[in-house]
Amino acid sequence: MTQDLRALYEEVILDHNRRPRNFRRLPEGSNRHAIGHNPLCGDQLRIDLRVEDGVIKDVGFEGAGCAISTASASLMTESIKGKTVEEAEVLFRRVHDLLTKQGAAGDLGKLQVLAGVRDYPARVKCATLPWHTLEAALKNTAAPVTTE
Ligand code: ZN
């Protein structure tokens, strides 16, 4: 990773950890939920979605996790609001590839900085946890998600 990318990665993670977006329980009408847990790090989160007519109208997350899982969850909520369920599932797969495969291409905009986590293999699961939990919420899976 170049110096510039590393600086951007650190800046974005820091910013989203300090001020997580959509860090709240949805007030009313959420209809999809999932809980995720990464035992390696201790990250835990809950994601609530309000899906209407196949569109993610609102999203909120709660929980306690490290800077990377919190920032990844924050970026995720920002990027899926207003998308259709199908678009969010495509995004999940693309981000998962970005986080787990070297050289994964494609322009993911702001989410591209998450690729910086590949330099820290022990933290990759922190970054993927919110996305796996999103996937479970979209499918409304009752069983909690675990990275192990
Ligand atoms: Zn973590």
Side-chain angles (χ1 to χ4, degrees), residues 38 41 43 66 69 123 126:
N38 171 17
C41 179
D43 309 312
C66 66
S69 70
R123 314 307 298 278
C126 301

Side-chain angles (χ1 to χ4, degrees), residues 15-75:
D15 173 45
H16 278 262
N17 181 50
R18 199 176 290 147
R19 294 185 302 120
R21 320 301 196 262
N22 304 302
F23 187 75
R24 65 202 160 88
R25 177 154 292 203
L26 292 191
E28 286 292 317
S30 68
N31 50 15
R32 314 263 182 120
H33 322 270
I35 289 170
H37 181 216
N38 171 17
L40 282 187
C41 179
D43 309 312
Q44 284 187 308
L45 85 163
R46 173 194 167 94
I47 292 174
D48 291 307
L49 303 172
R50 181 161 62 82
V51 177
E52 284 170 15
D53 302 326
V55 175
I56 299 166
K57 297 283 192 183
D58 206 358
V59 51
F61 79 101
E62 296 176 293
C66 66
I68 293 170
S69 70
T70 301
S72 181
S74 171
L75 284 160

